[in-house]
Amino acid sequence: MSKVYDRAGKGLFYWEFGDHSSQTFKRLFERLKKWKILFYCADHWAGFNKIIPSSRLFQGKDKTFSIKQNNGQHRHWFARFRRPPLANTRSLEMLEVALLIFAALHVNKTLKIHHAIFG
């Protein structure tokens, strides 16, 4: 899975399910074009160099601590995202819903429990 985390706004706003390959990230990168993102911060995974123009790519572990922390939090909250998989989900749709809830409730804090339950 590839995820996009807004370092300035501290929000998780896009993700793409798939293996850790260039194809998964390429699908995500294509979806991001509409946002006209000025620069990307990433670790030193070789796939980023093939897809993101070097003038817009900042690489280093010091640039990715926020998303690494977010990855740890979502593995903590949802067993299906842990390695090795201890819990499996048969439906991609259920994975999508689980990550949407995590992003809205825990990371972005845009979902209020009272409104979600009681309308």
Side-chain angles (χ1 to χ4, degrees):
M1 173 174 41
S2 292
K3 294 193 306 188
V4 178
Y5 187 80
D6 176 9
R7 292 180 60 195
K10 305 289 187 218
L12 180 64
F13 71 95
Y14 258 133
W15 51 84
E16 181 71 33
F17 288 106
D19 59 1
H20 193 64
S21 70
S22 295
Q23 296 297 14
T24 301
F25 181 70
K26 194 173 196 173
R27 287 192 312 265
L28 177 63
F29 189 71
E30 290 300 316
R31 291 173 55 197
L32 293 173
K33 285 184 177 180
K34 69 180 179 182
W35 294 97
K36 299 182 183 358
I37 295 171
L38 298 176
F39 66 92
Y40 296 83
C41 297
D43 61 14
H44 291 286
W45 179 60
F48 294 130
N49 294 322
K50 296 174 185 173
I51 298 167
I52 301 173
S54 61
S55 62
R56 296 173 47 204
L57 177 61
F58 296 89
Q59 290 182 291
K61 292 287 185 185
D62 60 324
K63 309 279 189 242
T64 60
F65 68 91
S66 299
I67 194 66
K68 299 293 183 189
Q69 186 177 35
N70 179 272
N71 289 339
Q73 289 171 340
H74 97 243
R75 282 193 300 272
H76 169 77
W77 286 99
F78 299 103
R80 61 182 59 116
F81 292 111
R82 293 187 188 130
R83 293 181 208 144
L86 301 174
N88 293 322
T89 301
R90 293 188 179 117
S91 165
L92 186 60
E93 189 175 331
M94 288 306 293
L95 284 174
E96 190 75 38
V97 169
L99 206 50
L100 253 174
I101 292 169
F102 172 74
L105 185 62
H106 184 68
V107 181
N108 303 344
K109 301 191 184 342
T110 56
L111 179 67
K112 304 293 184 217
I113 293 177
H114 183 271
H115 295 296
I117 296 171
F118 301 109

